[in-house]
């Protein structure tokens, strides 16, 4: 039995902790805040309840596997999962709108043809076929295996872009934006594709064509809502850890990973206490001075890809009078009128004047005081705290008003129904999670010579491992859960571990 110290109680870190405890190790989790879940937070106000992090789950098989591998009680006995249908409704700048069904290729093709004109659905379907090829080529090394020392296999873009001859040249899309412009051939389809990238914090003009995996995963494996909000999933993972005898120490900020004889030997806390360990798992973005010098850390993405600051999220949590109308869509996306201007602002450290806004309206009694009210969340991807001062009260109020105005396209009469509005910005994310600037890590992507990969789960310091969204295979609930599985495999089976078969 080894002693294992886990830094952070985010979902990736807890996934690793539960798996390691089942393997017979003594696991202690040290969390700087007073609760678990990391970015999977919750805000409650007078009977209204809101998610403050992820709101939908993709690839639920990741958490089903976690619960199967850590106990006899399956995930569905701990939380209620419901497929959201339609998966999303999109409002485009020209006034057209389309509702896309959940995990139905034929339904999506038909809906796009009906809303955008004949042929639009076929172009989107053919694009998804190519994205599926990219998924098949990269799935295992990108998601299911520890990051290889030789990253060459992931440096090449797996997306089979169409080759188009123009006079004496052959043109082939190398970025997601080029896929939209050259292969989809409709500005609304291009906006739909760009919107997927932006929602994950990626600049479609720089993200490799392999980012086509993101809409492919959502449209193939579906979008799932957790009854009570996504915080219920974090609670279920936390309780599974407790059932496996994982110890949690809250309000315990780790300031340094201890090193002895050339390997990780425990953690040092802000209060001066220290705790020895045979292995240390870092489940958060490291603060300055936390890691010994030989522990490799590469933030990936922003520095190497040149995409600018890693974005965060601006939320407006609305308590509304009036019942949710029959047929209301769970997730609507109001696309911006000028995608290039929005991307310039978000990735250039400024506020976008007319941002893309996601409107979330869960049909869940647990989120509202009664049937005569509704809880609605508005979300936009924004520059992180630092380049933009998100503590500025006037800016916060003005930008919340911008999001409300934009959201009225999806929810007519929204403003007149508002009882209370709570604003959360990257400044709050930074305070809650410790992430620099309140940035939210994006999923890892193949291509671009490896610029969109994250730090590997192994480090240069024996005994120190990385889990969670800032490490391989990147951000998002599913990816964080995968990182926990990879770290547990490396600790239990050693460096020869190659992932699940």
């Amino acid at each position: 039995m080894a002693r294992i110290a886990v830094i952070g109680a985010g979902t990736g870190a807890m996934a690793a902790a539960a798996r390691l405890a089942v393997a017979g190790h003594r696991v202690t989790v040290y969390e700087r805040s007073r609760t678990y879940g990391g970015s999977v937070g919750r805000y409650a106000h007078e009977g209204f309840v809101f998610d403050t992090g992820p709101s939908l789950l993709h690839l639920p098989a990741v958490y089903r596997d976690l619960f199967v591998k850590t106990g006899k009680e399956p995930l569905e006995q701990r939380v209620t999962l419901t497929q959201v249908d339609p998966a999303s409704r999109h409002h485009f700048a020209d006034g057209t709108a389309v509702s896309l069904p959940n995990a139905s290729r034929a339904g999506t093709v038909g809906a796009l043809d009906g809303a955008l004109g004949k042929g639009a659905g076929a172009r989107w379907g053919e694009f998804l076929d190519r994205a599926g090829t990219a998924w098949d080529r990269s799935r295992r090394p990108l998601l299911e295996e520890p990051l290889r020392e030789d990253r060459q296999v992931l440096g090449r873009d797996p997306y089979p872009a169409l080759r188009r001859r123009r006079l004496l040249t052959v043109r082939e899309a190398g970025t997601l934006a080029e896929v939209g412009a050259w292969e989809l051939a409709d500005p609304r389809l291009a906006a739909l594709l760009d919107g997927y990238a932006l929602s994950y914090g990626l600049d479609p003009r720089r993200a490799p064509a392999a980012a086509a995996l993101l809409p492919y995963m959502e449209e193939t494996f579906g979008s799932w809502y957790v009854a009570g909000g996504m915080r219920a999933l974090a609670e279920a993972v936390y309780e599974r850890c407790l059932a496996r005898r994982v110890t949690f120490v809250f309000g315990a900020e780790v300031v340094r990973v201890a090193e002895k004889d050339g390997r990780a030997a425990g953690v040092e806390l802000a209060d001066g206490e220290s705790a020895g360990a045979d292995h240390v798992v870092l489940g958060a973005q490291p603060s300055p001075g936390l890691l010994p010098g030989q522990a490799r850390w590469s933030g990936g993405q922003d520095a190497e890809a040149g995409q600018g600051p890693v974005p965060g999220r601006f939320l407006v949590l609305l308590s509304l009078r009036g019942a949710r109308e029959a047929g209301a869509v769970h997730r609507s996306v109001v696309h911006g009128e000028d995608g290039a201007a929005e991307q310039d602002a978000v990735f250039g450290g400024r506020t976008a004047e007319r941002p893309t806004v996601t409107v979330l309206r869960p049909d869940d009694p647990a989120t509202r005081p009664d049937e005569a009210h509704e809880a609605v969340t508005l979300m936009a991807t924004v520059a992180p705290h630092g380049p933009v001062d998100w503590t500025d009260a006037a800016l916060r109020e003005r930008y919340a008003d911008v999001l409300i105005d934009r959201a009225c396209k999806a929810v007519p009469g929204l403003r007149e129904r508002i009882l209370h509005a709570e604003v959360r910005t990257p400044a709050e994310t930074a305070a809650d999670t410790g992430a620099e600037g309140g940035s939210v890590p994006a999923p890892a992507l193949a291509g671009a010579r490896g610029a969109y990969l994250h730090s590997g789960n192994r480090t240069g310091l024996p005994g120190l491992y990385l889990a969670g969204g800032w490490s391989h295979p990147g951000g998002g609930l599913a990816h964080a859960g995968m990182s926990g599985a990879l770290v547990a495999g490396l600790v239990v089976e050693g460096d020869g571990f190659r992932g699940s078969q």
Side-chain angles (χ1 to χ4, degrees), residues 354-439:
R354 300 188 68 76
T356 296
V357 177
T358 298
V359 182
L360 299 164
R361 306 178 68 186
D363 186 10
D364 184 352
T367 65
R368 54 188 182 248
D370 53 50
E371 293 302 313
H373 296 84
E374 183 182 8
V376 171
T377 298
L378 313 182
M379 189 276 288
T381 299
V382 296
H385 180 54
V388 174
D389 181 8
W390 288 117
T391 63
D392 183 319
L395 173 61
R396 292 161 65 96
E397 183 177 355
R398 180 186 71 80
Y399 212 65
D401 203 54
V402 168
L403 265 64
I404 292 169
D405 272 345
R406 303 279 295 146
C408 287
K409 288 189 176 182
V411 189
L414 172 66
R415 185 177 292 279
E416 291 72 28
R417 297 174 59 196
I418 297 174
L419 295 170
H420 178 79
E422 179 72 16
V423 173
R424 292 184 61 87
T425 75
E428 282 76 34
T429 303
D432 291 346
T433 69
E436 183 179 359
S439 294

Side-chain angles (χ1 to χ4, degrees), residues 198-430:
L198 191 63
S199 70
Y200 284 97
L202 293 164
D203 186 343
R205 302 167 303 179
R206 296 183 175 90
L213 293 177
L214 302 176
Y216 175 82
M217 285 191 296
E218 289 197 20
E219 296 202 15
T220 301
F221 303 108
S223 299
W224 300 76
Y225 177 70
V226 179
M230 202 58 66
R231 180 69 178 177
L233 177 63
E235 182 178 3
V237 177
Y238 171 67
E239 290 178 348
R240 177 54 54 91
C241 287
L242 294 180
R244 301 285 83 84
R245 301 178 186 268
V246 174
T247 299
F248 285 80
V249 184
F250 294 108
E253 182 178 3
V254 174
V255 295
R256 184 160 181 80
V257 174
E259 175 190 359
K260 184 177 181 181
D261 299 328
R263 64 172 292 115
V267 296
E268 300 172 7
L269 305 178
D271 63 4
E273 295 293 319
S274 62
D278 302 298
H279 303 280
V280 176
V281 177
L282 172 60
Q285 188 181 34
S287 57
L290 178 68
L291 301 180
Q294 69 267 46
R296 292 189 304 274
W297 172 266
S298 61
Q301 297 191 39
D302 67 324
E304 295 183 59
Q307 75 169 31
V310 178
R313 306 289 185 266
F314 188 102
L315 302 178
V316 185
L317 312 177
L318 296 175
S319 303
L320 303 183
R321 65 171 62 88
R324 182 183 189 271
E325 71 271 19
V329 176
H330 184 115
R331 176 175 58 169
S332 297
V333 181
V334 180
H335 293 271
E337 283 85 355
D338 188 338
E342 179 177 8
Q343 293 151 22
D344 282 343
V346 171
F347 299 98
R350 306 187 307 279
T351 57
E353 291 306 312
R354 300 188 68 76
T356 296
V357 177
T358 298
V359 182
L360 299 164
R361 306 178 68 186
D363 186 10
D364 184 352
T367 65
R368 54 188 182 248
D370 53 50
E371 293 302 313
H373 296 84
E374 183 182 8
V376 171
T377 298
L378 313 182
M379 189 276 288
T381 299
V382 296
H385 180 54
V388 174
D389 181 8
W390 288 117
T391 63
D392 183 319
L395 173 61
R396 292 161 65 96
E397 183 177 355
R398 180 186 71 80
Y399 212 65
D401 203 54
V402 168
L403 265 64
I404 292 169
D405 272 345
R406 303 279 295 146
C408 287
K409 288 189 176 182
V411 189
L414 172 66
R415 185 177 292 279
E416 291 72 28
R417 297 174 59 196
I418 297 174
L419 295 170
H420 178 79
E422 179 72 16
V423 173
R424 292 184 61 87
T425 75
E428 282 76 34
T429 303

Side-chain angles (χ1 to χ4, degrees), residues 71-91:
K72 296 180 180 179
E73 190 179 33
L75 176 63
E76 276 81 359
Q77 287 189 12
R78 298 295 305 139
V79 299
T80 300
L81 291 174
T82 305
Q83 280 194 304
V84 175
D85 202 6
S88 55
R89 182 166 176 81
H90 295 265
H91 299 260

Side-chain angles (χ1 to χ4, degrees), residues 93-187:
D94 69 350
T96 57
V98 61
S99 292
L100 301 181
N102 199 337
S104 171
R105 178 73 63 84
T108 295
V109 168
L112 290 171
D113 273 344
L116 307 186
K118 189 171 178 58
R123 289 195 297 276
W124 185 259
E126 291 163 0
F127 155 72
L128 287 179
D129 287 340
R130 294 189 291 275
T133 298
W135 168 264
D136 292 337
R137 289 174 174 176
S138 61
R139 173 181 58 84
R140 183 163 179 78
L142 183 66
L143 300 177
E144 298 177 354
E145 295 180 350
L147 190 62
R148 302 176 184 180
E149 291 294 329
D150 178 7
R151 303 185 180 190
Q152 185 176 5
V153 67
L154 290 174
R156 296 187 295 270
D157 198 314
Y159 180 78
L162 295 179
R163 298 174 66 85
R164 300 183 183 276
R165 187 170 296 279
R166 293 291 186 272
L167 297 177
L168 300 179
T169 65
V170 175
R171 188 173 69 174
E172 182 178 302
T175 67
L176 197 68
E178 289 172 345
V179 171
W182 300 351
E183 297 183 9
L184 296 178
D186 183 311

